[in-house]
Amino acid sequence: FVHGVELGGPNGEVVRIRSVFDNGAMVNAIDAKLYETVKDRLAALGPSTKVLRMADGRLVSLVGTWEGVVTIQKVGGRGVFEIFDSGGAWGLLFGKPLLQEFRAQHHYEDDIV
């Protein structure tokens, strides 16, 4: 499902982004093109040497890693996001690590988290 999240910048900035929530995604991620549009309001990227394997088997190198505060409806937590080109599939991917950080529970029958 898709829901709005807020990313916190180093000087109190708030970046609002629509996020795809995916409990099958083993990482949290931000699309590289989206990151380029908001990078001036977020902390700088850290280095990353990881290579991710996509569901279709492709290997994707990362641009870097962003770490910071993530907020959903006034509930906050710390998140680490891998930055890479999603090919326009999504802007921000709220994956399993953040779902665990937020202790989210997905009720499939009602499709609510």
Side-chain angles (χ1 to χ4, degrees):
F1 73 96
V2 177
H3 195 281
V5 302
E6 297 176 347
L7 304 180
N11 298 310
E13 301 93 330
V14 175
V15 177
R16 291 175 181 84
I17 300 175
R18 301 283 294 164
S19 176
V20 172
F21 286 65
D22 184 348
N23 63 359
M26 302 310 289
V27 298
N28 310 308
I30 300 173
D31 178 71
K33 290 177 184 166
L34 173 64
Y35 180 79
E36 281 298 313
T37 67
V38 298
K39 70 180 180 181
D40 294 336
R41 296 185 286 153
L42 296 175
L45 295 182
S48 180
T49 57
K50 290 182 183 177
V51 175
L52 300 180
R53 181 179 304 276
M54 300 294 106
D56 64 3
R58 287 179 299 121
L59 298 177
V60 176
S61 297
L62 301 178
V63 174
T65 302
W66 180 82
E67 183 173 352
V69 175
V70 182
T71 306
I72 303 170
Q73 295 181 341
K74 299 182 183 180
V75 177
R78 193 136 191 94
V80 177
F81 291 84
E82 310 299 344
I83 311 300
F84 66 95
D85 183 1
S86 75
W90 39 260
L92 188 142
L93 185 61
F94 200 102
K96 194 170 198 165
L98 270 175
L99 291 168
Q100 290 173 330
E101 169 75 17
F102 279 77
R103 297 184 179 172
Q105 296 179 6
H106 189 174
H107 297 279
Y108 290 92
E109 188 173 306
D110 299 324
D111 198 26
I112 58 173
V113 174

